[in-house]
């Protein structure tokens, strides 16, 4: 989470004050604007992670549509470097799923997204509507944004 990316994001979103509570829709707009400003493009292989005070947002593209995954639970810190996993990738992915099952259960009635922070990136576990888990290891440190997302009660 580099200071440079935080400063750049503050410049980009000048109309919003730091630590201001914003809607999820506005947060997604801030993320998309940041990606435009740094000329980052989403394709089927790219997931863009953003870290807020009370959640993480992951943007990706699926079937030509912008997909937004929001992980509202506190991110689990994993003491690994993604780039050095190689042979241990399956073990770490299973460990991520085990954390998610402990927090959310495994009955499949609750769709969720759960975030993980690594030394050199992050991860995302999702229980999908059709059942089963999607696990992503993202070799990119999330962009840290100094906002809190207000969720409808």
């Amino acid at each position: 989470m580099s200071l440079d990316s935080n400063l750049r994001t503050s410049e980009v979103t000048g109309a919003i004050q730091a630590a201001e509570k914003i809607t999820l829709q506005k947060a997604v707009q801030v993320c998309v604007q940041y990606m435009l400003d740094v000329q980052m493009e989403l394709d089927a292989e790219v997931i863009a992670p953003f870290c807020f005070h009370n959640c993480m947002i992951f943007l990706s593209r699926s079937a030509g549509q912008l997909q937004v995954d929001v992980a509202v639970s506190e991110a689990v810190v994993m003491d690994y470097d993604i780039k050095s996993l190689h042979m241990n990738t399956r073990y770490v992915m299973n460990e991520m799923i085990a954390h998610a099952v402990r927090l959310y259960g495994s009955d499949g009635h609750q769709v969720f997204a759960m975030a993980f922070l690594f030394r050199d990136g992050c991860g995302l576990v999702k229980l999908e509507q059709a059942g089963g888990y999607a696990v992503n290891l993202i070799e990119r440190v999330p962009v840290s944004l100094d906002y809190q997302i207000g969720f409808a009660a």
Side-chain angles (χ1 to χ4, degrees), residues 52-78:
F52 292 84
H53 283 278
N54 59 338
C55 69
M56 283 185 69
I57 293 178
F58 298 86
L59 299 182
S60 58
R61 185 170 299 277
S62 177
Q65 297 291 317
L66 178 67
Q67 181 167 333
V68 179
D69 291 301
V70 182
V72 295
S73 61
E74 186 173 339
V76 175
V77 177
M78 306 285 279

Short mmCIF file of all heavy atoms in Angstrom, two decimals, residues 52-78:
data_model
loop_
_atom_site.label_atom_id
_atom_site.label_comp_id
_atom_site.label_asym_id
_atom_site.label_seq_id
_atom_site.Cartn_x
_atom_site.Cartn_y
_atom_site.Cartn_z
N PHE A 52 -10.48 -0.16 1.77
CA PHE A 52 -11.13 0.95 2.46
C PHE A 52 -11.05 0.70 3.97
O PHE A 52 -10.62 -0.36 4.40
CB PHE A 52 -12.58 1.07 2.01
CG PHE A 52 -12.73 1.50 0.57
CD1 PHE A 52 -12.65 0.58 -0.46
CD2 PHE A 52 -12.92 2.84 0.26
CE1 PHE A 52 -12.77 0.97 -1.78
CE2 PHE A 52 -13.04 3.25 -1.06
CZ PHE A 52 -12.96 2.31 -2.08
N HIS A 53 -11.51 1.66 4.78
CA HIS A 53 -11.45 1.49 6.23
C HIS A 53 -12.22 0.27 6.72
O HIS A 53 -11.79 -0.42 7.64
CB HIS A 53 -12.00 2.73 6.95
CG HIS A 53 -11.05 3.87 6.96
ND1 HIS A 53 -10.02 3.98 7.86
CD2 HIS A 53 -10.95 4.96 6.16
CE1 HIS A 53 -9.34 5.07 7.63
NE2 HIS A 53 -9.88 5.68 6.59
N ASN A 54 -13.36 -0.01 6.11
CA ASN A 54 -14.22 -1.07 6.63
C ASN A 54 -14.51 -2.20 5.65
O ASN A 54 -15.38 -3.03 5.91
CB ASN A 54 -15.54 -0.47 7.14
CG ASN A 54 -16.30 0.26 6.06
OD1 ASN A 54 -15.75 0.70 5.06
ND2 ASN A 54 -17.60 0.40 6.27
N CYS A 55 -13.80 -2.24 4.53
CA CYS A 55 -14.01 -3.33 3.58
C CYS A 55 -12.94 -3.29 2.50
O CYS A 55 -12.14 -2.37 2.45
CB CYS A 55 -15.40 -3.25 2.93
SG CYS A 55 -15.61 -1.85 1.81
N MET A 56 -12.95 -4.31 1.66
CA MET A 56 -12.13 -4.31 0.46
C MET A 56 -13.05 -4.50 -0.73
O MET A 56 -14.03 -5.24 -0.66
CB MET A 56 -11.07 -5.42 0.51
CG MET A 56 -9.90 -5.07 1.39
SD MET A 56 -8.57 -6.30 1.35
CE MET A 56 -7.92 -6.08 -0.31
N ILE A 57 -12.73 -3.82 -1.81
CA ILE A 57 -13.48 -3.95 -3.05
C ILE A 57 -12.54 -4.53 -4.10
O ILE A 57 -11.40 -4.08 -4.24
CB ILE A 57 -14.04 -2.59 -3.52
CG1 ILE A 57 -15.11 -2.11 -2.54
CG2 ILE A 57 -14.61 -2.68 -4.93
CD1 ILE A 57 -15.69 -0.75 -2.87
N PHE A 58 -13.02 -5.54 -4.82
CA PHE A 58 -12.27 -6.16 -5.90
C PHE A 58 -13.04 -5.94 -7.19
O PHE A 58 -14.20 -6.34 -7.30
CB PHE A 58 -12.12 -7.66 -5.65
CG PHE A 58 -11.35 -7.99 -4.40
CD1 PHE A 58 -11.98 -8.06 -3.18
CD2 PHE A 58 -9.98 -8.23 -4.46
CE1 PHE A 58 -11.28 -8.37 -2.02
CE2 PHE A 58 -9.27 -8.53 -3.32
CZ PHE A 58 -9.91 -8.60 -2.09
N LEU A 59 -12.41 -5.30 -8.16
CA LEU A 59 -13.04 -5.08 -9.46
C LEU A 59 -12.44 -6.04 -10.47
O LEU A 59 -11.22 -6.24 -10.50
CB LEU A 59 -12.82 -3.64 -9.94
CG LEU A 59 -13.39 -2.52 -9.07
CD1 LEU A 59 -13.12 -1.17 -9.72
CD2 LEU A 59 -14.87 -2.71 -8.82
N SER A 60 -13.29 -6.62 -11.28
CA SER A 60 -12.84 -7.51 -12.34
C SER A 60 -13.83 -7.40 -13.50
O SER A 60 -14.83 -6.71 -13.41
CB SER A 60 -12.73 -8.95 -11.84
OG SER A 60 -13.97 -9.41 -11.35
N ARG A 61 -13.51 -8.09 -14.57
CA ARG A 61 -14.40 -8.08 -15.74
C ARG A 61 -14.79 -9.53 -16.03
O ARG A 61 -13.93 -10.39 -16.13
CB ARG A 61 -13.70 -7.47 -16.94
CG ARG A 61 -14.59 -7.33 -18.14
CD ARG A 61 -13.96 -6.52 -19.24
NE ARG A 61 -13.63 -5.16 -18.87
CZ ARG A 61 -14.48 -4.13 -18.87
NH1 ARG A 61 -15.73 -4.33 -19.18
NH2 ARG A 61 -14.08 -2.93 -18.55
N SER A 62 -16.07 -9.75 -16.12
CA SER A 62 -16.57 -11.09 -16.42
C SER A 62 -17.62 -10.97 -17.51
O SER A 62 -18.58 -10.21 -17.35
CB SER A 62 -17.19 -11.70 -15.15
OG SER A 62 -17.74 -12.94 -15.43
N ALA A 63 -17.42 -11.68 -18.60
CA ALA A 63 -18.34 -11.65 -19.74
C ALA A 63 -18.60 -10.22 -20.21
O ALA A 63 -19.73 -9.85 -20.52
CB ALA A 63 -19.65 -12.36 -19.39
N GLY A 64 -17.56 -9.40 -20.21
CA GLY A 64 -17.67 -8.03 -20.69
C GLY A 64 -18.28 -7.05 -19.71
O GLY A 64 -18.40 -5.87 -19.99
N GLN A 65 -18.70 -7.52 -18.55
CA GLN A 65 -19.35 -6.67 -17.55
C GLN A 65 -18.40 -6.43 -16.37
O GLN A 65 -17.64 -7.32 -15.99
CB GLN A 65 -20.61 -7.34 -17.02
CG GLN A 65 -21.67 -7.57 -18.06
CD GLN A 65 -22.29 -6.27 -18.55
OE1 GLN A 65 -22.57 -5.39 -17.77
NE2 GLN A 65 -22.46 -6.15 -19.85
N LEU A 66 -18.49 -5.24 -15.77
CA LEU A 66 -17.74 -4.95 -14.57
C LEU A 66 -18.32 -5.78 -13.43
O LEU A 66 -19.52 -5.78 -13.20
CB LEU A 66 -17.82 -3.46 -14.22
CG LEU A 66 -17.10 -3.04 -12.94
CD1 LEU A 66 -15.59 -3.18 -13.11
CD2 LEU A 66 -17.44 -1.59 -12.59
N GLN A 67 -17.46 -6.50 -12.73
CA GLN A 67 -17.90 -7.29 -11.57
C GLN A 67 -17.29 -6.66 -10.34
O GLN A 67 -16.10 -6.36 -10.30
CB GLN A 67 -17.46 -8.74 -11.70
CG GLN A 67 -17.92 -9.57 -10.52
CD GLN A 67 -17.77 -11.05 -10.76
OE1 GLN A 67 -17.80 -11.52 -11.89
NE2 GLN A 67 -17.61 -11.78 -9.69
N VAL A 68 -18.12 -6.46 -9.31
CA VAL A 68 -17.69 -5.86 -8.05
C VAL A 68 -17.90 -6.87 -6.93
O VAL A 68 -19.02 -7.31 -6.71
CB VAL A 68 -18.49 -4.57 -7.75
CG1 VAL A 68 -18.06 -3.96 -6.43
CG2 VAL A 68 -18.35 -3.56 -8.89
N ASP A 69 -16.81 -7.24 -6.27
CA ASP A 69 -16.90 -8.10 -5.09
C ASP A 69 -16.50 -7.27 -3.88
O ASP A 69 -15.48 -6.58 -3.92
CB ASP A 69 -15.97 -9.31 -5.22
CG ASP A 69 -16.44 -10.27 -6.29
OD1 ASP A 69 -17.57 -10.77 -6.17
OD2 ASP A 69 -15.68 -10.50 -7.25
N VAL A 70 -17.31 -7.32 -2.83
CA VAL A 70 -17.06 -6.55 -1.63
C VAL A 70 -16.86 -7.51 -0.46
O VAL A 70 -17.75 -8.31 -0.16
CB VAL A 70 -18.23 -5.58 -1.32
CG1 VAL A 70 -17.93 -4.75 -0.08
CG2 VAL A 70 -18.51 -4.68 -2.52
N ALA A 71 -15.71 -7.43 0.16
CA ALA A 71 -15.41 -8.24 1.34
C ALA A 71 -15.54 -7.35 2.57
O ALA A 71 -14.75 -6.42 2.75
CB ALA A 71 -14.00 -8.82 1.25
N VAL A 72 -16.57 -7.59 3.38
CA VAL A 72 -16.83 -6.71 4.51
C VAL A 72 -16.21 -7.19 5.81
O VAL A 72 -16.08 -6.43 6.76
CB VAL A 72 -18.34 -6.47 4.72
CG1 VAL A 72 -18.92 -5.71 3.53
CG2 VAL A 72 -19.09 -7.76 4.95
N SER A 73 -15.83 -8.46 5.88
CA SER A 73 -15.17 -8.93 7.10
C SER A 73 -13.72 -8.42 7.11
O SER A 73 -13.17 -8.08 6.06
CB SER A 73 -15.19 -10.46 7.17
OG SER A 73 -14.51 -11.01 6.07
N GLU A 74 -13.12 -8.37 8.29
CA GLU A 74 -11.75 -7.91 8.38
C GLU A 74 -10.85 -8.87 7.59
O GLU A 74 -10.98 -10.08 7.67
CB GLU A 74 -11.31 -7.88 9.84
CG GLU A 74 -9.94 -7.29 10.03
CD GLU A 74 -9.59 -7.10 11.51
OE1 GLU A 74 -10.51 -7.06 12.34
OE2 GLU A 74 -8.40 -7.02 11.80
N ALA A 75 -9.94 -8.29 6.82
CA ALA A 75 -9.04 -9.11 6.00
C ALA A 75 -8.15 -9.98 6.89
O ALA A 75 -7.68 -9.54 7.94
CB ALA A 75 -8.18 -8.22 5.12
N VAL A 76 -7.94 -11.21 6.47
CA VAL A 76 -7.07 -12.15 7.19
C VAL A 76 -5.65 -11.94 6.67
O VAL A 76 -5.41 -11.94 5.46
CB VAL A 76 -7.51 -13.61 6.94
CG1 VAL A 76 -6.53 -14.58 7.58
CG2 VAL A 76 -8.92 -13.82 7.46
N VAL A 77 -4.71 -11.74 7.59
CA VAL A 77 -3.32 -11.53 7.20
C VAL A 77 -2.64 -12.89 7.11
O VAL A 77 -2.67 -13.69 8.05
CB VAL A 77 -2.59 -10.62 8.21
CG1 VAL A 77 -1.13 -10.47 7.85
CG2 VAL A 77 -3.28 -9.26 8.28
N MET A 78 -2.03 -13.16 5.96
CA MET A 78 -1.32 -14.42 5.71
C MET A 78 0.17 -14.09 5.57
O MET A 78 0.53 -13.24 4.77
CB MET A 78 -1.83 -15.08 4.43
CG MET A 78 -3.34 -15.30 4.37
SD MET A 78 -3.91 -16.64 5.40
CE MET A 78 -3.55 -18.03 4.36
#
